[in-house]
Amino acid sequence: MTVLPDDGLSLAAEFPGATHAQWQHLVSGVLRKSGKEVPDAEVEAALSTGVEDGLRVLPLYAAGEGAPDPGLPGFAPFVRGGRAEGNTTGGWDVRQQHAVADGGSVLADLENGVTSLWCTVGADAIPVASLTDALDGVYLDLAPVVLDAGAETEAAARALFALYAAQGVADTAVRGNLGADPLGWEARTGAAHDIAPAAELAERCAGRYPGMRALTVDALAYHEAGGSAAQELACSLATAVGYLRELTAAGLGVEQACAQLEFRYAATADQFLTIAKLRAARRLFARVADVCGAPQAGAQRQHAVTSPVMMSGRDPWVNMLRTTVAALAAGVGGAEAVTVLPFDHALGLPDGFARRIARNTSTILIEESHLARVIDPAGGSWYVERLTDELAHAAWGFFQEIERAGGQAAALRSGMIRERLAETWAARSSKLATRREPVTGVSEFPNLAEQPVVRAPAPQAPGGGLPRVRRDEAYEALRARSDAHLAATGSRPRIHLAALGPAAAHTARLTFAANLFQAGGIETVTDGTFAESGAVEACLCSSDGVYEEEAEAAAQTLREAGARHVFLAGRPGSYAGIDSYVFSGCDAVAVLSAALDRMGVSR
C-alpha cells in the first residue's frame, strides 16, 4: 500500500465525519418533501430496487455489509478469478462463433484480433465433413478450437483430431474444447444423450492432450429459455456435478474431471448482475470441488457470450451498445473467453461489417480502455461483493432443489426446470409488456420509418426442448402485423393524437403516446384534424388540468368526426366518451394488440 506524504492539504480535516444515521435522516427529509412519510430506519427499503431471484439493490452500501471474504485471485474460493494474474497477460480470449463453413470469414477474424474459434458443427451448420474446409489455412497450434456439435460431438472430435495430426500439431500444443454437453443437448432438444462417449473423450484428453478440454457446461440453454441469473448458475452447477459423477465413475480423478470442464454463461447489459454472476459461479464451483476433496481444482474456466435474449431485430444498431456493456461486464467479471455476438445476430448470418464490430468491441475494451490491466476491477466494491454473495446463495438454493429432484437430468425430464424457467420468464414478460423494462428502439423510441436490415438465414437452431425467448418478441409480433398490413394495403394502421391546450401542457403525454403506439407499429398522426388523418382511432393528450375542462367535449367532437375508439393519455378517470386509458405502467402489449384487432390488422 502506497503511503502519500503529508502535504498539509487535508481537505476533509475540518469537516465532521458523517454517520449512517445522519444520511438516513437527511434522505427521510427529502422523501417527506416529495409527499412520502418514511421513517429514518426504513429509507433503504423505500428506495431499494427489486431485481430477479428475489434480490434487492439498496441505495447505499457500506463496509461490513456481511459479504464473506472473497479471497485472493488464483486461490480458493476463486471469487476473484481462477488465475492469480487474471486477464492481465494479453487480455481475455476473443472467441468468435462460426456456424457456416466459410474459411474466408474464419481467417479474416483471426487476422484481425480473434484468438480462438467457436465452431457450430452439424447438418444445419458446419457439416462434420466440411470442418476441414472451415479451418483451411488456420494454424491449429496457434488458434484454439471450440466445438459445439451436439449429437455429432464424437464425429466432430475425430475430424478435429485428424486435422491436428495432418498439420503435425504436437499433442501438448492442442488447445480448445471438444464441446461435449449431453445434458445441455437434452435441454435444447428434449432428446436424452448418453454421457459415456463424453467420458471417453475426457479420458483421451486427460491422458494425451493436456490443453484440450472435453466437456462444456453450457448454461445458455437456460438463459435463452428465460431463466434468471440464479437459475442459470444453479442449472450449470447441477450439470457440472452430474458430469463429475460420471467422469469419476469412469476412472478419472476429481482433479482430472474438474479440469475437463469449461463453463459457458450469458453476459447481459445488466453489467453489475453479470459481474456478480461470474464471480458467484466461481465461488459455487469452488464449493463443489472443496466438498469433493479437491479444493484447488475448483478454478472454473469461463466462456461468456453476450446474451442472445437481449438482441433485437428492430433497430439492430442498438445491439452494439448492449453487447459493448455486456462484454465490459464479462471482462470485469473475470471470464477467460468472451464472445461478442454480431449486432445482426437476431436477423440471420452476420455480414463482414457486423463481424468486424463484434471482434473490435473486445479489442477496444482491452487495448484502448485497458480493461484487462487490473485484476478483478470490481473487487472491493461493497455493492458487487454483497450482490455476489446474495446471488450465490440464491443459486445454491435452487441447485439443492435440483439435487433433491434427482439431479439435472431428472429435473429436465420431469419438467421441473421448464416450469421454473417459464415462471421467471412470465414475470419478466410482464415487465417488458408494461415497459418497466424498456427495450430501446423497440418498446421505447421505435422508428417506423427505419429500413429493415436483411441478412441471409442462419442455420436452424436445435429445438424440441426448452424454448428460446427474446426480450423483443411480443413487440416484434405486433410490428410484424403492421408490416404485413403495410404490404397488403400500402399504409400502416394509424391513430390520431389530439393535443389539447398549450404545448407545455400536452408535449409530455403526446411524446409518451407516440412512443407507445409506434411500438406496436401504429403510425401516429398529429397534424390536421381527425378527419384529415386517415385514422379510425384517436388519443387525447394533455395535462390533468386541461382534461378536467376539455376532455369530454374533445372526445365528443372526435366521435362525431368518426373516431371508433378514443384513448386518453393519463391515469384512468371517469371522463364521458373515453373508451380506455394509456399511462406509464399500463400493459402496452395488450393495449396495442387490441388496437390492431379493432383496426382490422390481421394476426
Side-chain angles (χ1 to χ4, degrees):
M1 178 178 177
T2 302
V3 179
L4 298 176
D6 183 3
D7 56 5
L9 297 175
S10 301
L11 299 181
E14 297 180 6
F15 295 91
T19 66
H20 188 198
Q22 288 175 318
W23 177 85
Q24 290 177 317
H25 182 69
L26 290 171
V27 172
S28 178
V30 173
L31 291 174
R32 190 177 303 112
K33 291 178 181 179
S34 66
K36 299 178 181 179
E37 287 291 339
V38 180
D40 292 3
E42 299 177 13
V43 295
E44 279 96 344
L47 296 177
S48 64
T49 303
V51 293
E52 56 192 28
D53 301 309
L55 307 182
R56 299 199 69 81
V57 175
L58 302 177
L60 180 69
Y61 289 85
E65 289 288 350
D69 183 359
L72 298 173
F75 295 89
F78 304 106
V79 173
R80 306 196 66 193
R83 300 176 298 173
E85 71 277 14
N87 287 325
T88 57
T89 55
W92 54 82
D93 173 11
V94 180
R95 184 172 296 174
Q96 195 84 318
Q97 185 179 31
H98 289 267
V100 294
D102 182 358
S105 294
V106 168
L107 293 179
D109 279 345
L110 291 172
E111 290 168 358
N112 291 281
V114 167
T115 53
S116 70
L117 302 171
W118 176 17
C119 299
T120 303
V121 180
D124 294 323
I126 302 173
V128 172
S130 300
L131 191 58
T132 300
D133 297 331
L135 298 177
D136 185 36
V138 176
Y139 294 105
L140 295 175
D141 55 339
L142 300 178
V145 175
V146 175
L147 298 178
D148 189 354
E152 298 188 59
T153 297
E154 298 167 76
R158 287 194 298 269
L160 182 60
F161 283 132
L163 280 175
Y164 285 125
Q167 283 197 12
V169 179
D171 292 350
T172 55
V174 170
R175 292 174 296 135
N177 194 309
L178 299 178
D181 185 20
L183 288 177
W185 183 249
E186 182 170 350
R188 293 280 194 199
T189 65
H193 195 62
D194 187 9
I195 197 175
E200 293 172 5
L201 290 174
E203 289 183 89
R204 182 177 183 182
C205 291
R208 183 172 176 181
Y209 303 104
M212 176 68 80
R213 297 175 187 240
L215 288 92
T216 297
V217 179
D218 190 353
L220 288 182
Y222 312 105
H223 171 76
E224 289 186 80
S228 67
Q231 289 170 333
E232 185 184 347
L233 291 176
C235 288
S236 72
L237 195 63
T239 300
V241 168
Y243 290 162
L244 290 179
R245 290 187 179 116
E246 295 292 337
L247 294 181
T248 52
L252 292 179
V254 175
E255 295 85 353
Q256 289 178 307
C258 289
Q260 288 303 306
L261 305 181
E262 180 174 80
F263 292 75
R264 183 175 295 142
Y265 295 109
T268 74
D270 188 334
Q271 59 181 339
F272 290 110
L273 191 61
T274 296
I275 293 167
K277 179 169 70 176
L278 296 176
R279 299 171 95 248
R282 292 192 292 269
R283 178 181 170 188
L284 291 166
F285 188 63
R287 175 58 179 159
V288 167
D290 185 36
V291 171
C292 291
Q296 293 309 312
Q300 189 184 72
R301 179 171 178 80
Q302 296 176 337
H303 171 203
V305 182
T306 57
S307 166
V309 176
M310 72 180 180
M311 305 293 270
S312 65
R314 306 283 174 167
D315 203 353
W317 318 103
V318 182
N319 291 329
M320 296 185 199
L321 303 178
R322 298 182 180 113
T323 54
T324 297
V325 175
L328 181 149
V332 171
E336 285 84 3
V338 177
T339 294
V340 176
L341 296 180
F343 71 85
D344 51 4
H345 174 80
L347 300 171
L349 289 175
D351 66 2
F353 175 71
R355 303 192 70 85
R356 176 187 174 194
I357 294 297
R359 63 180 179 252
N360 282 356
T361 299
S362 281
T363 299
I364 291 170
L365 291 172
I366 295 170
E367 302 293 342
E368 296 187 19
S369 300
H370 306 300
L371 199 62
R373 289 195 176 186
V374 179
I375 302 171
D376 187 27
S381 161
W382 299 319
Y383 167 43
V384 172
E385 300 292 4
R386 174 79 171 270
L387 187 58
T388 298
D389 181 56
E390 292 177 345
L391 188 55
H393 278 89
W396 187 262
F398 187 43
F399 162 69
Q400 289 179 311
E401 288 186 51
I402 296 172
E403 286 294 285
R404 284 193 294 269
Q408 183 68 6
L412 280 170
R413 292 163 193 168
S414 70
M416 171 189 167
I417 299 295
R418 176 185 290 270
E419 291 171 5
R420 295 293 291 274
L421 300 185
E423 290 172 3
T424 299
W425 181 243
R428 190 175 183 189
S429 295
S430 176
K431 293 181 180 178
L432 291 163
T434 56
R435 304 198 299 173
R436 292 197 301 271
E437 182 180 337
V439 184
T440 303
V442 179
S443 65
E444 296 285 356
F445 312 112
N447 178 13
L448 295 186
E450 73 170 293
Q451 294 301 307
V453 177
V454 179
R455 294 288 184 264
Q460 185 67 37
L466 296 176
R468 292 174 185 260
V469 301
R470 284 217 323 261
R471 290 198 310 160
D472 67 343
E473 60 186 16
Y475 294 95
E476 176 62 34
L478 297 172
R479 292 284 293 273
R481 292 175 64 183
S482 173
D483 289 348
H485 189 78
L486 174 64
T489 67
S491 64
R492 292 191 183 278
R494 291 181 176 180
I495 189 167
H496 178 64
L497 302 186
L500 305 180
H506 68 240
T507 297
R509 281 176 170 160
L510 190 72
T511 303
F512 165 83
N515 259 326
L516 187 146
F517 288 109
Q518 289 171 19
I522 300 174
E523 183 180 349
T524 56
V525 182
T526 57
D527 296 330
T529 65
F530 176 81
E532 296 169 337
S533 69
V536 294
E537 298 193 358
C539 180
L540 298 177
C541 302
S542 195
S543 66
D544 292 342
V546 174
Y547 287 152
E548 290 292 334
E549 298 179 0
E550 302 182 27
E552 294 186 359
Q556 180 62 30
T557 300
L558 290 169
R559 293 283 187 192
E560 293 171 355
R564 302 175 191 169
H565 192 97
V566 178
F567 291 94
L568 184 145
R571 287 288 169 183
S574 56
Y575 300 106
I578 302 300
D579 295 297
S580 53
Y581 298 79
V582 289
F583 50 91
S584 179
C586 72
D587 189 331
V589 171
V591 167
L592 295 169
S593 182
L596 291 176
D597 289 343
R598 290 191 303 271
M599 294 176 185
V601 179
S602 60
R603 290 180 178 270

